[in-house]
Amino acid sequence: QLITMREVVSKDIRRILAERARYFNIVLEDVSITNLTFSKEYTAAVEAKQVAQQEAERAKFIVDRATQDKQSAIVRAQGEAQSARLIGQAIQQNPAFITLRKIEVRRRRRRYNVMRYVMCM
């Protein structure tokens, strides 16, 4: 709190010191807080809080990522199911569809083998 309210604390200290200095007929114009030190316990507590916040953020990230992975799997499964339905309909409507798919697979294999052969050279 001292760090976050530095200006307020500085004004309070300036006021208190000015009142004390007036008792000795000294006019205080400015007060500057230049070096703050904290106890080991306080420093450890601040560090522990930061670590806890980082762990909480990491946990949130992991949960968000798992949620996205789950949603991605759902969408992928829905797409595969739709694809299977469409292929089933295509086969029912046109039995030559299977022959067409076989031809497409063979063409892909030939292209792959040619590319593999060229790359090996």
Side-chain angles (χ1 to χ4, degrees):
Q1 190 178 17
L2 183 59
I3 294 172
T4 58
M5 298 181 64
R6 189 177 193 137
E7 188 64 32
V8 173
V9 171
S10 180
K11 285 179 183 178
D12 286 345
I13 291 173
R14 186 180 311 127
R15 181 183 49 77
I16 292 167
L17 287 176
E19 288 174 6
R20 287 185 182 176
R22 259 188 256 127
Y23 178 75
F24 297 101
N25 293 322
I26 297 173
V27 176
L28 190 63
E29 291 183 7
D30 193 22
V31 173
S32 180
I33 300 173
T34 57
N35 189 11
L36 294 175
T37 56
F38 300 101
S39 69
K40 291 179 183 177
E41 294 82 11
Y42 178 80
T43 302
V46 169
E47 289 175 5
K49 181 181 177 184
Q50 289 175 339
V51 168
Q53 286 174 334
Q54 290 171 351
E55 289 174 356
E57 286 295 319
R58 179 167 168 70
K60 182 180 181 290
F61 170 78
I62 290 170
V63 168
D64 288 347
R65 183 174 174 190
T67 302
Q68 290 174 356
D69 288 348
K70 175 185 168 185
Q71 186 62 33
S72 175
I74 290 169
V75 169
R76 189 177 313 111
Q78 289 172 340
E80 289 173 1
Q82 178 68 17
S83 175
R85 277 193 295 277
L86 292 174
I87 289 172
Q89 289 173 0
I91 291 170
Q92 285 177 350
Q93 293 172 0
N94 187 359
F97 179 79
I98 293 176
T99 306
L100 176 63
R101 294 291 285 189
K102 287 179 183 178
I103 293 169
E104 289 172 353
V105 168
R106 286 185 194 130
R107 283 183 183 165
R108 273 192 237 126
R109 283 185 185 160
R110 272 193 236 127
R111 281 190 204 136
Y112 173 76
N113 287 335
V114 168
M115 287 178 17
R116 199 173 83 200
Y117 176 76
V118 170
M119 292 174 119
C120 290
M121 294 180 99

